[in-house]
Amino acid sequence: MISIDNLSVSYGGWTLFDQISFLINPKDRIGLVGKNGAGKTTILKLIAGEQIPTSGAVTRNGECTIGYLPQQMKVADTTTLLDETEKAFDEVLRIEAEIESLTQQISERTDYESAEYESLLHRLNEENDRYHILGGDTRDADIEKTLLGLGFRREDFRKPTSQFSGGWRMRIELAKLLLRRPSIFLLDEPTNHLDIESIQWLEEYLRNYNGAVLLISHDRAFLDNVTTRTIELSLGKIYDYKVPYSQFVVLRAERRAQQLAAYQNQQKLIEKSEEFIERFRYKPTKSNQVQSRIKQLDKLERIEVEEEDLATLNIKFPPAPRSGQIVADIKGVGKAFGNHRVFAGAEFTIHKGDKIALVGRNGEGKTTFARMLIGETEPTEGEIKIGANVNIGYYAQNQDDLMNGDFTVYDTLDRVAVGDIRTRLRDILGAFLFRGEDVDKKVKVLSGGEKTRLAMIKLLLEPANLLILDEPTNHLDIASKQVLKEAIKNFTGTAIIVSHDRAFLSGLVDRVYEFSNGSVRECLGCIDAFLDKLKAAHQQSAPLRNNVAEAKEKNQPKTENTDNESAAKSENSKPQISYQERKERTRMLRKAEKNVADAEAQIALLEEKQTALEGRLANGESDAELLSDYDDTRKKLENAMSVWELAAAELEELQQRFDD
């Protein structure tokens, strides 16, 4: 579908990546991973056509359409949420107008046997097919389902887009992108502004999507749940694995260990051969053996160990100053903005050494509560008592906006550092991967990850015993997240973390508070217990919605006519249809029946393959390729079942419509 051939990008004398090549196939689920600055976003821009490579080419087939979601994007401020989202269906609206025009022309003509009349019918059929393919029949339902899935409420639909924050505006663009249904999604950090429920909804959507997905994400759980292939970009080269991220980490370590062992063995062989050659080079009796060894060395294909990017973030929070056992006491706290109540009834105590997660949908008050703890805003009800000798270190979600873009990296820290620590600023910056000329960069040109690291350094300059971190992992790569996670684990003070990153919170926090539906309640158990509860709630809601729909149908008023009278009335009231309309109905039914048959055939093939793979697994085979093939087949079977359900539902709908 898309071919990347010998792609290189250079800036001056510096090469970002050199002659990389790979293919993107239909229905691929690819995670593009690597450290911040490795060039992942550049690859997406090259594929989307927004950047020109230094050399090489990106080739895609003529029918391939691309949906690109960058990290930053502007949304129009002149429309409502619903109107802006409907722009995803511009093509559908154009087709609707064309169908109406063609229908009008056909109804006014009487030259049924002419070539022009046949041409109009042909165009109408084509436009109808295109309309169905683009989801014209279900666009209102699709818009509602997508917006609700991404966390919007129905009362938001008529709000102007200008009233939404930057994070919510990114969701609007994501909704439009999903509704356009391109051949391939190019998603750059799509989960940065999503809450846990919306991330889970997006995972399900992408898993079942009929096209391809190439995404950049530092959310390990998201990568594992969506992707089946991992492409690593490291030091200007790529490494392609046909497995999800967690399996890729294991295989990469195994590959490097095998490569290193082979390299060491070969070096020993070379060393012994060279030693033999030097020892017997001038002995006539050994000349044949010496020449043989020399030829062997000349022909030997030297093993090279792949370079490894060993630059790592070095975070270690200073020892926490001593504080009282009770860090904060929250009693009946609530917050309202005018008539809008955000939450109420927060009642709990934070003890020394607690590691607490605040979770819930965006807009439920997590950041507001964090700002209450640091005294930036006051509760409208209840009371927050901060304990004795509590020093708070706060990492704000909008950290980018709190730093002056015209200051350099060094100046930003020099203005807040005091005492002897000022003499060690360059060493501290080096530990956070700001080296050489990086320290003289202006803040406004830094990447998202670099700004996050700079904000983290500011947090470390003053010792604190209570850390309040609001989305600290946004823009950090996976390796840096793990370093930060270990630093918080080893922190001797108290930590309160607002985050939607499930892998980051897992094993880190010991208490979870959920902000939901205007209230705050403690979730017993760790973050994994909270996620299990969310999953169970989603599973229960689906049959509940079906039951509501069935109940509505059962409560429809019945007519008082007898069966015979109803049948007769129905028969007499049926409009007479033309030959062309009967022909069109027959064509639509045949097409729907073919779709069902094709889906059933695909299911049969995949079930047969799955059975064969299960037999091999039962016989003790368990290599990575077999496991990957089995997992891929299982996911394809789930997708095929979904396709069959949609096709069967469409056929049933057509049959009912034409029988009425």
Side-chain angles (χ1 to χ4, degrees), residues 410-593:
Y410 185 87
D411 289 341
T412 298
L413 299 183
D414 192 44
R415 290 170 183 270
V416 296
V418 293
D420 293 341
I421 201 167
R422 294 185 67 184
T423 64
R424 297 190 292 111
L425 283 183
R426 289 188 180 273
D427 292 336
I428 295 171
L429 283 165
F432 279 75
L433 308 183
F434 290 104
R435 293 163 185 161
E437 296 177 357
D438 291 343
V439 300
D440 297 319
K441 284 183 180 178
K442 288 194 174 182
V443 170
K444 62 186 176 185
V445 303
L446 299 180
S447 68
E450 288 171 329
K451 288 178 181 176
T452 298
R453 299 202 307 267
L454 183 59
M456 200 65 66
I457 301 174
K458 288 179 66 180
L459 187 65
L460 299 179
L461 292 180
E462 293 186 15
N465 47 31
L466 171 59
L467 295 177
I468 300 175
L469 310 176
D470 193 354
E471 297 292 354
T473 63
N474 277 0
H475 306 297
L476 285 182
D477 58 46
I478 294 175
S480 297
K481 282 184 183 182
Q482 189 60 34
V483 173
L484 176 59
K485 181 174 179 177
E486 291 302 317
I488 297 172
K489 275 185 179 180
N490 296 326
F491 177 56
T492 55
T494 308
I496 299 172
I497 305 155
V498 180
S499 179
H500 302 306
D501 191 319
R502 296 156 292 176
F504 180 74
L505 293 176
S506 181
L508 174 61
V509 298
D510 43 45
R511 291 167 67 190
V512 178
Y513 287 92
E514 181 185 12
F515 287 67
S516 177
N517 298 321
S519 64
V520 183
R521 57 181 177 273
E522 182 175 3
C523 301
L524 299 177
C526 60
I527 189 67
D528 298 315
F530 167 72
L531 294 174
D532 288 341
K533 187 196 81 168
L534 269 186
K535 186 176 180 181
H538 284 309
Q539 289 173 344
Q540 290 172 3
S541 65
L544 181 61
R545 288 192 296 269
N546 293 338
N547 291 341
V548 170
E550 290 173 7
K552 284 183 179 179
E553 290 181 6
K554 289 179 180 177
N555 290 332
Q556 292 295 323
K558 296 180 180 179
T559 60
E560 296 181 359
N561 294 343
T562 64
D563 291 343
N564 290 337
E565 290 173 338
S566 297
K569 183 176 180 180
S570 175
E571 187 67 31
N572 292 333
S573 64
K574 280 186 180 180
Q576 296 297 313
I577 61 174
S578 66
Y579 165 76
Q580 291 297 338
E581 189 170 349
R582 283 198 302 274
K583 183 178 176 182
E584 173 64 13
R585 288 186 176 188
T586 302
R587 188 195 65 78
M588 291 174 68
L589 282 170
R590 285 177 178 170
K591 183 179 178 182
E593 288 167 352

